[in-house]
Amino acid sequence: MSAAINNIEIQKAKTSKISSIDFDNLSFGKVFSDHMLLCVYKDGMWQLPKVVPYQPITLDPSSKIFHYGQSVFEGLKAYKDTDENIWLFRPEDNFRRLNISSKRLSIPELPEDYFMAGLKTLLQVDRDWIPKSEGSSLYIRPFVFASGNGFHASPADEYMFIIATAPSGSYFSGKLKVLIEQTYSRSANGGVGFAKAGGNYAGQFYPTQLAVEKGYQQVIWTDDTTHEYIEEAGAMNIFVRINDTLITAPISDRILDGITRRSILEIAKTENIPVEVRKISVKEVVEASKNGTLKEMFGAGTAAVISPIAAFGHEDKDYDLPTLENSYGALLKKRITDIQTNKSEDPFGWRVKV
């Protein structure tokens, strides 16, 4: 799906908040830039997007987002190099996945140019909001939700597409202690686990809070039927290293097709790291920990890129992972972030200049 846009209307904010922001002490997703992209679906079509000042949204209490949860989102980042160039990392993949998620929730798919040209225009308007310090970036949140009204249980007739941005520091600090979930499920066969639907994350919060109360930071999700196979780590894809082989679960209608996950798999091949995409049983991971062959576990996602796991809990017992000087996780994170920030060559064609 595509539609060409020659120019996008820009409504500039009267005053900027940027002088009040401490860019040396940014938390993740707490401070928001001056502008946002707004696009409305009505009368059976997406209207032209425009850049407007970041502002609250007014919705009727009967808006269907509140009642039936038609909402999907994406996450990506913009970076500045030392020459003040702005870069994106695989944004076309985010666009495609947003439409895959939308289709599953009966939300009208967006034209590609509305997303890509709209995003680039927004970044040019708010280019001063992109931080340059190590580990920082401009986090970008595209999302679509049902704004049409009515209590009838059916898809809405109006929607809003918004891109909001937030200058942010590192998402996670330190290593994670995680709990392998044996009761609750993140998603099910035939469900919406592969989509970035807001409700998927809402459903994770309660089991995660139970894990936090036990001293863990995150949950490792297992399959919905037997809880015998690990699938994801919190809101991230998961990788396990046994001996020298890196293993990750295959994507399915339960598991998100992570862009960072795909990037890791491609980079691992160029680094001659043995990779297996297959089901990984909880039993296999526990046994590998016991016999010393479990070398690494880490989560992979846009916000953190790679989050090392220091220990996991299973059936009231904790298992520590070794500390490695030359870990796959550290190597792969550096390869990805160097491409993202234009510090290295990009043999894959992932980096997009704005």
Side-chain angles (χ1 to χ4, degrees):
M1 181 185 294
S2 63
I5 302 177
N6 294 323
N7 55 67
I8 291 176
E9 180 185 348
I10 299 172
Q11 299 174 12
K12 295 291 290 287
K14 292 180 180 179
T15 58
S16 174
K17 308 182 296 285
I18 198 166
S19 61
S20 66
I21 306 305
D22 181 1
F23 278 83
D24 293 324
N25 293 284
L26 291 168
S27 56
F28 181 82
K30 295 285 189 180
V31 174
F32 304 100
S33 313
D34 285 328
H35 299 88
M36 64 186 193
L37 186 79
L38 175 65
C39 186
V40 174
Y41 180 91
K42 64 179 181 180
D43 301 325
M45 63 184 297
W46 285 104
Q47 311 299 304
L48 288 175
K50 56 187 177 181
V51 172
V52 299
Y54 184 89
Q55 60 191 281
I57 303 165
T58 300
L59 294 172
D60 191 280
S62 69
S63 294
K64 292 200 172 186
I65 178 58
F66 301 133
H67 308 280
Y68 304 113
Q70 276 184 291
S71 174
V72 297
F73 70 95
E74 274 298 322
L76 64 159
K77 294 176 179 178
Y79 309 84
K80 258 187 189 171
D81 63 20
T82 54
D83 295 324
E84 299 285 317
N85 295 308
I86 301 171
W87 301 94
L88 293 166
F89 183 72
R90 307 187 72 167
E92 297 92 346
D93 292 321
N94 291 100
F95 162 73
R96 283 190 287 267
R97 192 170 63 184
L98 184 70
N99 272 350
I100 289 169
S101 299
S102 293
K103 186 175 181 179
R104 180 61 181 83
L105 271 71
S106 289
I107 295 171
E109 296 172 56
L110 275 159
E112 182 173 3
D113 207 32
Y114 284 30
F115 182 98
M116 295 302 300
L119 172 57
K120 290 179 179 180
T121 301
L122 176 64
L123 293 177
Q124 290 288 6
V125 171
D126 276 345
R127 64 179 298 119
D128 292 341
W129 283 88
I130 305 173
K132 292 184 289 184
S133 58
E134 192 71 26
S136 297
S137 60
L138 186 72
Y139 184 77
I140 302 166
R141 172 55 58 88
F143 59 104
V144 188
F145 63 92
S147 56
N149 303 335
F151 290 148
H152 187 264
S154 62
D157 57 2
E158 293 186 4
Y159 297 85
M160 283 189 180
F161 167 55
I162 292 173
I163 302 180
T165 64
S168 299
S170 298
Y171 188 56
F172 289 118
S173 59
K175 293 188 176 183
L176 297 175
K177 183 180 179 183
V178 298
L179 178 65
I180 295 180
E181 181 59 51
Q182 296 291 286
T183 302
Y184 297 96
S185 298
R186 177 191 171 274
S187 58
N189 290 329
V192 296
F194 67 91
K196 284 189 73 71
N200 288 348
Y201 297 79
Q204 294 184 35
F205 294 155
Y206 176 66
T208 302
Q209 185 57 42
L210 294 179
V212 168
E213 291 169 3
K214 295 177 181 178
Y216 302 91
Q217 283 89 43
Q218 281 289 354
V219 165
I220 289 184
W221 301 104
T222 51
D223 68 285
D224 64 306
T225 307
T226 66
H227 295 291
E228 292 179 2
Y229 297 93
I230 67 172
E231 296 195 334
E232 293 196 342
M236 301 175 287
N237 295 116
I238 188 168
F239 285 82
V240 175
R241 175 184 174 184
I242 296 178
N243 287 318
D244 290 333
T245 301
L246 196 61
I247 311 166
T248 193
I251 58 169
S252 67
D253 54 10
R254 297 189 310 276
I255 298 176
L256 185 72
D257 184 7
I259 294 166
T260 305
R261 172 189 177 276
R262 275 190 273 141
S263 303
I264 287 171
L265 292 174
E266 292 193 49
I267 291 173
K269 292 176 184 177
T270 67
E271 295 292 335
N272 296 316
I273 295 173
V275 173
E276 293 180 4
V277 179
R278 62 170 174 82
K279 295 172 73 172
I280 319 162
S281 71
V282 175
K283 181 179 179 181
E284 180 182 4
V285 173
V286 171
E287 286 301 316
S289 180
K290 288 179 178 178
N291 65 32
T293 58
L294 180 63
K295 304 300 184 183
E296 291 179 69
M297 295 173 66
F298 54 83
T302 297
V305 185
I306 285 176
S307 294
I309 293 171
F312 68 90
H314 179 249
E315 294 184 348
D316 299 320
K317 184 176 180 180
D318 287 344
Y319 299 84
D320 293 323
L321 279 89
T323 301
L324 303 179
E325 283 191 15
N326 300 303
S327 68
Y328 285 173
L331 170 67
L332 293 164
K333 182 172 183 176
K334 187 177 189 309
R335 292 288 186 271
I336 290 174
T337 55
D338 281 355
I339 291 173
Q340 290 171 334
T341 54
N342 197 29
K343 291 178 181 176
S344 71
E345 294 298 316
D346 175 18
F348 309 99
W350 292 336
R351 194 167 53 218
V352 175
K353 192 174 183 179
V354 174

